[in-house]
Amino acid sequence: MQAPRPFLAIMIPGLRHCIFAGSTTLALLLPWPAAAAEEIVFHHAFDESVLDVGARPGESFSDAVKSFHANGKNPYVGDADATAQGKVLYDTWCQGCHMPDGSGHMGPSLIDDVYIYDRVPTDLGLFEVVFAGAGGAMQSFAERMSQDDMLKVVAYIRRLQKKP
């Protein structure tokens, strides 16, 4: 029986190649398995319980919501039209507690870099608070606005925030 030959694996984008020591043979193997996408899981700010962010009866998700559910990145951040729509929604639903400039009153400031919940600095975490509610008077907006509108509000809040 022949002793196994040591090999050196060389990464070539999308392919695996092995060169066996003492041999001029180059063996082409199967492509590397695609990296599994990390599943986005939404959590409640209070207890980290998993949130059901499925569509409400009669609700259909926009491409932006589908993308956000897949990767946790708000596609509306930096989109002028969506941010303008987010401002209208913010003025309607949020400014009473957080003030027109986001500086806070009954609700906490949305423009500082001090957060009550660790996840809020991310768009995913801020969305979770708007979707499910948080401490104090912050109630869930899941029955008051669509997830698409929530993403627009998050985009507007990000525009309000102080830049380092």
Side-chain angles (χ1 to χ4, degrees):
M1 177 175 190
Q2 188 177 21
R5 292 181 282 182
F7 69 93
L8 170 66
I10 301 173
M11 178 64 178
I12 297 176
L15 298 174
R16 267 186 305 191
H17 288 78
C18 294
I19 300 173
F20 292 94
S23 169
T24 58
T25 304
L26 178 66
L28 175 63
L29 302 176
L30 297 174
W32 287 106
E38 185 176 320
E39 182 181 354
I40 301 299
V41 179
F42 295 82
H43 296 275
H44 198 289
F46 284 144
D47 59 7
E48 292 291 315
S49 61
V50 175
L51 294 172
D52 176 3
V53 294
R56 295 185 316 242
E59 179 181 24
S60 61
F61 287 150
S62 66
D63 289 341
V65 171
K66 291 174 187 174
S67 172
F68 182 68
H69 283 190
N71 64 28
K73 293 180 177 58
N74 186 348
Y76 290 141
V77 171
D79 178 321
D81 290 335
T83 302
Q85 293 171 37
K87 178 187 183 337
V88 172
L89 292 160
Y90 179 91
D91 290 346
T92 301
W93 294 105
C94 311
Q95 64 90 26
C97 295
H98 297 284
M99 301 300 288
D101 66 353
S103 62
H105 180 59
M106 181 170 44
S109 171
L110 300 174
I111 59 174
D112 293 330
D113 59 357
V114 176
Y115 302 102
I116 295 170
Y117 302 105
D118 293 339
R119 293 169 61 92
V120 171
T122 68
D123 290 341
L124 179 66
L126 184 55
F127 174 89
E128 291 167 338
V129 169
V130 175
F131 180 85
M138 181 66 187
Q139 300 297 307
S140 167
F141 278 81
E143 298 297 322
R144 297 181 229 182
M145 69 172 78
S146 70
Q147 291 186 40
D148 192 71
D149 285 347
M150 290 180 207
L151 291 175
K152 291 172 183 172
V153 169
V154 169
Y156 176 70
I157 291 169
R158 293 300 183 217
R159 196 188 90 193
L160 287 176
Q161 291 178 321
K162 295 176 182 175
K163 305 293 183 235

